[in-house]
Amino acid sequence: MFFFKESKKEKQIVKNQQGKNQNQQQPNFLSTDLNQNLQELQNIYQHCMDVVFRQFKIGGKTKAALIYIDGLANIEEIDASVLTPLMKENNIDQLIPVNHILEQKLTISKVKKVQTVTECIEHISGGNPVLLLDQQSEGFALGLANWEKRSIEEPVGESVIRGPREGFTESLGTNLSLLRRKIRSPQLKTKSMKIGEYTQTEVVISYIEGIAEQTLIREVETRLSRIKVDGILETSYIEEFIEDNPYSLFPQVLNTERPDVVVASLLEGRVAILQDGTPFALVVPVSFYSLLQTGEDYYQRSLISTATRWLRYLFLLLSLLLPSLYVAILTFHQEMLPTTLLITIATSREQIPFPALVEALLIEIVFEALREAGLRLPKQAGSAVSIVGALVIGQAAVQAGLASSPLIMVVALTGIASFTIPRYPVGFALRMLRFPMILLAGTLGLLGIMFGLLMILTHMATLRSFGVPYLSPLAPMQGGEMKDVLLRAPWWKLDTRPSLTGTDNILRQGPDQKPGPDYGNDKTSRGKGGS
């Protein structure tokens, strides 16, 4: 028989969990003694200089206290709507009833009763002052939070030529209002939860009832409720906790700053996750092809959007394969090049001391370093450093005999191709895969490239995003949904939603809406025009 000693870490986890369960089973209700409640809250907020305990008397008789955090609560509204009307009340002969305070004294639209110390702490930390009265076992959380927030601006990373110019901010209330402005139906549902042991960050699940499948909603709620962490500062924390395959380079969750992208996803039956304190919202589930689409694809004419998508797919392949093809052809398959081009490349490589594999890896690493430096430097200097640095270093490398001119051009085309990918995580994944593809091309030639592509496709075929195949609707093949993948069909043809986790309520528009010369007349003429 073997005995395993419980580790110190496991003991601490069990102890913390037991403490949490005990606290949940024994809620600390407020006392009718105001001094006792204040003493407990003051012990909790000890050494917190920004927490204000404002004690006063209502009408000069009833003792009361207002607790709030300086900088989070609206001080002007506290003075005008709480302290002034309560302290100037002179018609008090006995204990003031609770309903009287709510209905007559507090001119505040949002007032919530609190019964435990834990509830008081949650509201105080959220910027809402808590009013406590003597001889009352209930307090009142006043909706007077006053967070500093950024104004609504156009997202820098997702700019469009045609389309809405507004983007999410760090205020959760503002972000939810942006969704409500676009979806005015009461079927838009929002469920809130707190994540983070210390940050207590508010996270909201948003979906359209009747369109999103209940199984998907329950799965999202389950994965979020499993997160037990000290705190979350950005939705990237949540993304890493809820992914199906966390070790994959490919993102399985869409992040966006655009309300119109989130609304379009909700109308397709997806679920959005919004977090207070960040402008980035998450959308699940997603497919690889949806990550290559932009909101502007649906604001341009269908033929233009289709041509743009094909161009995007082409440059995606170039971003992944162009350097490796260059290395493979120069190392193993010179006969594939025309003689004149081969002589030109050979002439440019006469003074190069490295093989094509080492040369390509070296220049690619330098290019990635310049790109990263351009992102991390201040905005005014970042673009200048990245562009000038690439030109100067490229020219110097050619003149010094460390790189050939054709390779510099190949790397530059690869960089341009990577910029056409609309989602940064997808582009970053392809940039990382470019290096093993170059190594395979330098050791096995075109056979190595084919081997690498098969490994990537096999991996992508095994991926799931909340149960949805990553390569759907191409693998598995769903012919009815291909009209919004390889093509962008006209809106009057996009009559069904993508089947994500079910087929309920799959129709999203009426039939026979194709415009034509007789469009707008009677049903018979409209049918002829739409044929």
Side-chain angles (χ1 to χ4, degrees), residues 355-483:
L357 173 61
V358 176
E359 180 190 11
L361 287 175
L362 179 63
I363 299 301
E364 279 290 345
I365 292 174
V366 172
F367 184 82
E368 292 298 329
L370 285 173
R371 188 199 311 236
E372 188 67 18
L375 291 176
R376 303 302 163 213
L377 284 173
K379 186 177 180 181
Q380 294 79 3
S383 58
V385 168
S386 59
I387 295 173
V388 175
L391 292 175
V392 172
I393 292 178
Q395 184 66 24
V398 172
Q399 292 180 354
L402 299 177
S404 60
S405 299
L407 177 62
I408 298 296
M409 189 171 184
V410 166
V411 173
L413 287 175
T414 304
I416 294 173
S418 64
F419 291 142
T420 63
I421 300 173
R423 303 295 171 188
Y424 181 79
V426 179
F428 187 82
L430 296 176
R431 285 159 54 191
M432 293 299 100
L433 289 173
R434 194 183 302 156
F435 292 97
M437 292 296 292
I438 293 175
L439 289 173
L440 288 172
T443 53
L444 299 176
L446 291 180
L447 180 62
I449 295 178
M450 294 302 299
F451 179 68
L453 283 176
L454 285 175
M455 290 181 63
I456 293 173
L457 288 176
T458 303
H459 170 70
M460 295 175 68
T462 61
L463 290 180
R464 296 289 186 274
S465 175
F466 282 77
V468 177
Y470 199 58
L471 294 180
S472 64
L474 192 61
M477 175 63 72
Q478 298 172 347
E481 299 181 14
M482 295 300 294
K483 56 189 175 184

Side-chain angles (χ1 to χ4, degrees), residues 36-304:
Q36 181 179 342
N37 294 332
L38 289 178
Q39 184 64 40
E40 187 170 359
L41 288 172
Q42 286 172 349
N43 291 335
I44 294 174
Y45 284 110
Q46 189 177 11
H47 304 302
C48 297
M49 59 169 293
D50 55 342
V51 180
V52 179
F53 290 84
R54 177 65 166 90
Q55 300 185 47
F56 62 98
K57 288 186 178 181
I58 301 177
K61 294 183 179 181
T62 303
K63 293 192 298 183
L66 193 68
I67 305 98
Y68 60 91
I69 297 179
D70 188 17
L72 297 186
N74 192 327
I75 305 299
E76 292 79 9
E77 284 295 326
I78 289 176
D79 292 336
S81 302
V82 182
L83 295 178
T84 300
L86 292 181
M87 295 176 69
K88 288 185 176 181
E89 177 62 36
N90 296 321
N91 300 322
I92 298 179
D93 298 327
Q94 57 184 358
L95 185 65
I96 300 177
V98 175
N99 293 335
H100 182 68
I101 295 176
L102 289 175
E103 297 175 3
Q104 302 296 330
K105 300 294 183 284
L106 298 180
T107 58
I108 301 172
S109 60
K110 189 176 180 181
V111 178
K112 184 178 180 180
K113 292 183 181 180
V114 291
Q115 297 179 334
T116 65
V117 176
T118 302
E119 291 177 339
C120 292
I121 294 172
E122 290 179 359
H123 288 284
I124 293 171
S125 301
N128 296 316
V130 171
L131 176 63
L132 300 178
L133 304 175
D134 196 21
Q135 301 301 319
Q136 295 287 342
S137 60
E138 290 182 336
F140 307 100
L142 313 178
L144 296 177
N146 185 27
W147 298 87
E148 294 294 334
K149 56 185 179 181
R150 180 170 56 93
S151 60
I152 298 175
E153 301 171 351
E154 182 179 3
V156 178
E158 298 179 70
S159 59
V160 295
I161 297 176
R162 179 177 180 178
R165 304 286 180 175
E166 57 189 11
F168 287 132
T169 69
E170 286 75 14
S171 172
L172 181 60
T174 302
N175 297 342
L176 292 176
S177 68
L178 291 174
L179 297 183
R180 288 286 181 187
R181 282 176 54 188
K182 296 181 180 298
I183 303 179
R184 303 185 181 184
S185 169
Q187 300 304 108
L188 176 61
K189 306 299 181 182
T190 54
K191 295 183 178 180
S192 176
M193 63 175 61
K194 296 291 181 65
I195 300 179
E197 178 72 18
Y198 297 100
T199 60
Q200 289 291 301
T201 308
E202 186 174 6
V203 176
V204 171
I205 303 171
S206 180
Y207 61 93
I208 299 181
E209 190 176 46
I211 296 181
E213 292 291 327
Q214 290 298 319
T215 54
L216 174 60
I217 299 169
R218 288 194 295 269
E219 181 64 21
V220 174
E221 292 177 344
T222 301
R223 296 193 187 189
L224 290 177
S225 63
R226 288 204 309 257
I227 301 176
K228 307 297 180 184
V229 67
D230 285 346
I232 56 173
L233 304 179
E234 217 278 330
T235 48
S236 60
Y237 288 46
I238 299 176
E239 183 176 350
E240 292 193 32
F241 277 108
I242 66 175
E243 284 182 320
D244 289 62
N245 190 338
Y247 294 106
S248 175
L249 284 175
F250 294 97
Q252 297 132 62
V253 178
L254 169 66
N255 66 83
T256 179
E257 291 184 82
R258 298 188 61 86
D260 57 328
V261 173
V262 174
V263 169
S265 300
L266 294 178
L267 292 173
E268 289 184 344
R270 307 180 199 271
V271 175
I273 303 172
L274 295 90
Q275 175 194 320
D276 190 23
T278 177
F280 287 91
L282 304 180
V283 176
V284 294
V286 295
S287 66
F288 179 70
Y289 305 104
S290 63
L291 294 172
L292 299 179
Q293 300 171 1
T294 64
E296 197 172 10
D297 287 353
Y298 300 93
Y299 303 145
Q300 302 286 352
R301 297 178 61 85
S302 60
L303 293 178
I304 297 176

